Amino acid sequence: MADTLEFNEIYQEVKGSMNDGRLRLNRQGVIFKNSKTGKVDNIQASELAEGIWRRVALGHGLKLLTKNGHVYKYDGFRETEFDKLSDFFKTHFHLDLAEKDLCVKGWNWGTVKFGGQLLSFDIGEQPVFEIPLSNVSQCTTGKNEVTLEFHQNDDTEVSLMEVRFYVPPTQEDGVDPVEAFAQNVLSKADVIQATGDAICIFRELQCLTPRGRYDIRIYPTFLHLHGKTFDYKIPYTTVLRLFLLPHKDQRQMFFVISLDPPIKQGQTRYHFLILLFSKDEDISLTLNMNEDEVEKRFEGRLTKNMSGSLYEMVSRVMKALVNRKITVPGNFQGHSGAQCITCSYKASSGLLYPLERGFIYVHKPPVHVRFDEISFVNFARGTTTTRSFDFEIETKQGMQYTFSSIEREEYGKLFDFVNTKKLNIKNRGLKEGMKSVPYDDYAGSDEDSHDAYLERMKEEGKIREEHANDSSEDSGEETDESFNPVEEEEDVAEEFDSNASASSSSNEGDSDEKKKPAKKAKIVKERKPRKKPSESKKGKDPNAPKRPLSAYMLWLNANRDKIRAECPGMSVTDVSKKAGELWKGMSKEKKEEWDRKAEDAKRDYEKAMKDYNEGGKSDSSKKEKPKKKKTPEKPGKGKPEKKAPASAKSSVSKSPSKQLGESFKSKEFVSSDDSSSGEDKKEDSDEEEIASTPPSSAESASGSD
């Protein structure tokens, strides 16, 4: 029989997590070495009390119990190794390796046995589960019920937080089974128990996290928070940092205690204990210790009798007991003179304090970020309004914190602070360019470094949109001019046809004459503005030279396909952002090449504009003049039409002449022309010019076709 047995890939169960390692058995005992940490556990052979072999999730396992109550579990054995282990235990340790399987019936009714550091829940003779009592952090009792809470295990993704046992009442007098159960747990559990009197007590303190009013009892080794619903016992060894922060209103103070591990309330963890004090609250404090003990323990940091502001007394006592420094805000002062900045984090408003070595945000949820954890910070434009901005912090672990709705007046102070602390600013180029501008102009800035060119791109985009709109408007206006007047003339002619048949009586003619001037006035009013689009078209000629592109736009047009090929699936916005970053990082020598191209394009544009102004506009004006001359020269319309009066009295006879055209001219029409006054002729000449304009445009349209 070999004196030594070795097993590789054996797992030791420690506080719910499985640690990989190597197990060695020899005459002296059992040795397990953790592969990850290198830690060695040594169990002497003389300490072994019992060995149990059982089937577990990872094959088979070995459970060892020592005489002092400790339990060791090792998993990962194969079933064929039982005989070898059983013989070794019998030969060298003088123990029988018993086989005992777990109960898998699924029942939840059984008996509880306390053996050493272990609580075992059994059904019959088979155990269902076992709980190491050293993992219990709290034990509370209720009516026929006992609740066990456990320490948080950060090495596992999922950990057991709470178990409740129902204890049925018994007929035995003088013995409470619930209290007996709780005492058995507390005697072996890792629970902080308040033994002796508290050094001092602060009553009814306002606590923001966890929310409520608590009595704080100060003990030599731990802090006891006693509330109406929950109690918390916080060892001083779990306190990482202390902060004393003035509120922005200068009437209140925050006292923040950073904890690791955090305190728990169900599934909620509280990494920070935040107390809120009023500066006006005073207290006289007497420590529950004699003067010699106070002097010996605290070495002058505390005295037996103290008085002062409540927040000063609490912070002073905590500093002496925890033996850690209290962090206060540094030299930072905001726009209003306060040492903090009002902002929002996760839809809750709070205060951000720039400290000498980090940032802390209070209070919901509290956030503390040290400078050495920060990868970079970023100043971003507010999403809802231009009167505020966002301050973003990204850590080296990839966590991102966004503090939003910061007043733009705070920008200069915060930027100078971040710059002084030499933190990496993501959009430094943009912000340094803005420093020469008053802080009120911050609303015009944008989020990232590529936005330095965004305004120029927007302007050029607007110009292109205007050209596109002009071309669409031009085409729409041409159809309007060629169509609407004809439609209006047809409407007028139809109306005049019905009136012309009834014009034999003078009374009806008079009534018609009263109605028709309004119609003519309407036509004149509608047609006069139509000269304006033709005037505006002269300034927005589609044949005019296009404005030159900037150096950046020339470069972007040449490299856009390349950027898309390198990063497929990017949106247009992402492409422009990426292009802006590449352009910013480009060397001056490469940029000069595109600057030269932009200058050449500008010179070509200026030359083309000069040629266009000298020759292009005069040619277009010459082309327009003949169209107006052709207008009155319609066949079949001679002097009678030219002399047609525009007055209300002769309008009845004018429309039949238009309808009949060349075929017929009545004597009444001619006589009415001769009897018209000189004033009527003057009005006629004005309206004739207006009336003849639509046909000219129609003719020009048909001629161009």
Side-chain angles (χ1 to χ4, degrees), residues 290-527:
N290 59 46
E291 292 184 359
D292 294 336
E293 290 176 343
V294 173
E295 181 63 30
K296 182 179 178 180
R297 172 156 188 167
F298 301 111
E299 299 177 353
R301 290 174 292 177
L302 297 177
T303 58
K304 182 175 175 61
N305 297 304
M306 297 179 291
S307 62
S309 299
L310 179 58
Y311 74 88
E312 289 180 352
M313 293 298 100
V314 173
S315 59
R316 187 175 174 183
V317 170
M318 286 297 299
K319 180 181 178 182
L321 288 168
V322 177
N323 198 22
R324 293 188 181 276
K325 294 180 180 179
I326 295 179
T327 303
V328 297
N331 300 324
F332 176 82
Q333 276 196 341
H335 176 72
S336 60
Q339 294 179 296
C340 58
I341 294 172
T342 304
C343 61
S344 296
Y345 177 65
K346 289 188 176 179
S348 297
S349 180
L351 299 173
L352 179 66
Y353 291 84
L355 308 175
E356 288 300 316
R357 296 183 180 179
F359 294 96
I360 186 169
Y361 172 82
V362 290
H363 74 97
K364 192 176 181 181
V367 176
H368 178 236
V369 185
R370 302 190 312 274
F371 288 157
D372 54 8
E373 295 178 309
I374 296 175
S375 174
F376 62 83
V377 299
N378 183 34
F379 293 86
R381 187 169 180 175
T383 54
T384 57
T385 177
T386 58
R387 298 189 62 82
S388 64
F389 67 96
D390 298 348
F391 182 60
E392 300 172 353
I393 299 175
E394 185 163 329
T395 64
K396 295 175 182 176
Q397 290 76 28
M399 293 290 293
Q400 188 168 357
Y401 304 95
T402 301
F403 304 99
S404 58
S405 302
I406 304 175
E407 295 179 356
R408 64 180 181 183
E409 289 80 8
E410 303 284 3
Y411 164 76
K413 301 285 187 181
L414 184 58
F415 180 81
D416 292 340
F417 175 83
V418 170
N419 213 18
T420 303
K421 297 301 178 182
K422 298 180 180 179
L423 297 177
N424 183 22
I425 303 175
K426 185 178 179 182
N427 48 357
R428 176 179 292 275
L430 176 64
K431 301 305 168 186
E432 286 185 345
M434 288 172 54
K435 287 182 73 177
S436 60
V437 184
Y439 297 125
D440 291 343
D441 292 342
Y442 178 77
S445 69
D446 277 288
E447 180 179 345
D448 268 323
S449 58
H450 60 271
D451 288 346
Y453 309 97
L454 188 58
E455 292 301 325
R456 191 181 302 170
M457 293 169 65
K458 284 181 178 178
E459 290 177 4
E460 293 173 356
K462 286 179 182 177
I463 293 169
R464 287 194 293 270
E465 286 179 5
E466 287 175 2
H467 283 308
N469 292 337
D470 289 344
S471 61
S472 62
E473 287 173 5
D474 292 346
S475 61
E477 286 165 3
E478 287 174 5
T479 55
D480 288 345
E481 287 185 7
S482 61
F483 173 76
N484 283 344
V486 174
E487 186 179 36
E488 288 172 359
E489 285 185 359
E490 288 175 0
D491 292 340
V492 173
E494 289 173 1
E495 185 176 355
F496 279 24
D497 283 345
S498 61
N499 290 331
S501 62
S503 62
S504 57
S505 64
S506 60
N507 294 335
E508 289 175 358
D510 293 337
S511 62
D512 289 337
E513 288 170 2
K514 291 178 183 178
K515 293 179 183 177
K516 285 157 194 172
K519 291 278 182 182
K520 287 227 171 183
K522 226 176 191 180
I523 295 169
V524 172
K525 284 181 181 177
E526 289 179 0
R527 290 176 182 172

Side-chain angles (χ1 to χ4, degrees), residues 25 112 138 231 411 458 611 613 691 696:
L25 286 77
V112 172
Q138 187 75 304
D231 281 4
Y411 164 76
K458 284 181 178 178
D611 296 341
N613 291 331
S696 68

Side-chain angles (χ1 to χ4, degrees), residues 34-312:
N34 192 320
S35 300
K36 186 176 181 180
T37 62
K39 183 181 177 182
V40 177
D41 289 331
N42 195 348
I43 307 172
Q44 296 295 327
S46 58
E47 296 178 359
L48 292 173
E50 186 181 359
I52 297 174
W53 175 268
R54 59 188 179 184
R55 189 170 186 173
V56 293
L58 296 176
H60 288 76
L62 182 65
K63 175 185 172 184
L64 302 178
L65 285 80
T66 61
K67 294 177 181 178
N68 56 9
H70 291 289
V71 179
Y72 299 90
K73 296 179 182 179
Y74 304 99
D75 297 350
F77 296 97
R78 291 187 290 273
E79 187 177 3
T80 55
E81 294 171 339
F82 170 73
D83 294 336
K84 185 166 49 176
L85 280 169
S86 179
D87 293 342
F88 191 91
F89 269 73
K90 189 177 289 187
T91 304
H92 298 290
F93 301 151
H94 306 291
L95 290 175
D96 290 331
L97 193 61
E99 289 187 80
K100 188 181 289 187
D101 288 333
L102 295 172
C103 180
V104 292
K105 291 182 178 180
W107 296 359
N108 64 343
W109 187 269
T111 58
V112 172
K113 295 179 181 179
F114 293 93
Q117 295 286 335
L118 210 63
L119 180 155
S120 177
F121 183 80
D122 298 345
I123 295 177
E125 295 298 324
Q126 290 181 298
V128 179
F129 61 85
E130 297 169 342
I131 299 175
L133 293 177
S134 58
N135 292 351
V136 178
S137 64
Q138 187 75 304
C139 178
T140 56
T141 60
K143 185 179 180 181
N144 299 331
E145 192 175 77
V146 179
T147 302
L148 304 184
E149 296 180 12
F150 303 98
H151 293 293
Q152 176 66 35
N153 186 2
D154 294 328
D155 295 331
T156 59
E157 295 182 2
V158 180
S159 56
L160 182 64
M161 299 301 300
E162 183 180 284
V163 172
R164 295 185 181 183
F165 293 94
Y166 172 77
V167 183
T170 60
Q171 301 297 328
E172 298 179 10
D173 295 334
V175 179
D176 186 357
V178 174
E179 288 297 327
F181 190 107
Q183 289 302 320
N184 281 325
V185 173
L186 292 172
S187 62
K188 302 289 173 59
D190 185 15
V191 178
I192 300 173
Q193 300 189 44
T195 56
D197 296 329
I199 296 174
C200 61
I201 301 175
F202 300 99
R203 298 193 180 277
E204 291 293 319
L205 296 185
Q206 184 181 354
C207 191
L208 300 180
T209 306
R211 188 173 63 178
R213 288 196 173 269
Y214 291 85
D215 292 342
I216 297 183
R217 295 184 172 92
I218 305 295
Y219 288 90
T221 58
F222 67 93
L223 176 73
H224 182 200
L225 266 71
H226 177 70
K228 293 181 179 179
T229 308
F230 299 99
D231 281 4
Y232 301 97
K233 295 183 178 71
I234 304 172
Y236 296 138
T237 54
T238 65
V239 177
L240 291 181
R241 294 176 185 83
L242 303 173
F243 302 91
L244 188 61
L245 309 170
H247 197 280
K248 194 171 184 178
D249 60 9
Q250 302 299 326
R251 296 195 299 269
Q252 301 178 93
M253 297 289 292
F254 293 108
F255 185 62
V256 183
I257 303 172
S258 176
L259 304 173
D260 186 26
I263 57 177
K264 298 179 292 295
Q265 181 177 309
Q267 294 294 330
T268 307
R269 305 182 194 179
Y270 296 101
H271 291 270
F272 293 89
L273 179 66
I274 302 180
L275 303 172
L276 182 63
F277 300 96
S278 173
K279 286 187 176 181
D280 300 333
E281 292 183 80
D282 295 331
I283 189 175
S284 296
L285 188 65
T286 301
L287 301 184
N288 191 18
M289 300 170 70
N290 59 46
E291 292 184 359
D292 294 336
E293 290 176 343
V294 173
E295 181 63 30
K296 182 179 178 180
R297 172 156 188 167
F298 301 111
E299 299 177 353
R301 290 174 292 177
L302 297 177
T303 58
K304 182 175 175 61
N305 297 304
M306 297 179 291
S307 62
S309 299
L310 179 58
Y311 74 88
E312 289 180 352

Side-chain angles (χ1 to χ4, degrees), residues 676-687:
S676 60
S677 63
E679 187 178 352
D680 291 341
K681 290 181 181 180
K682 186 177 180 181
E683 291 177 4
D684 174 48
S685 61
D686 294 336
E687 287 189 14

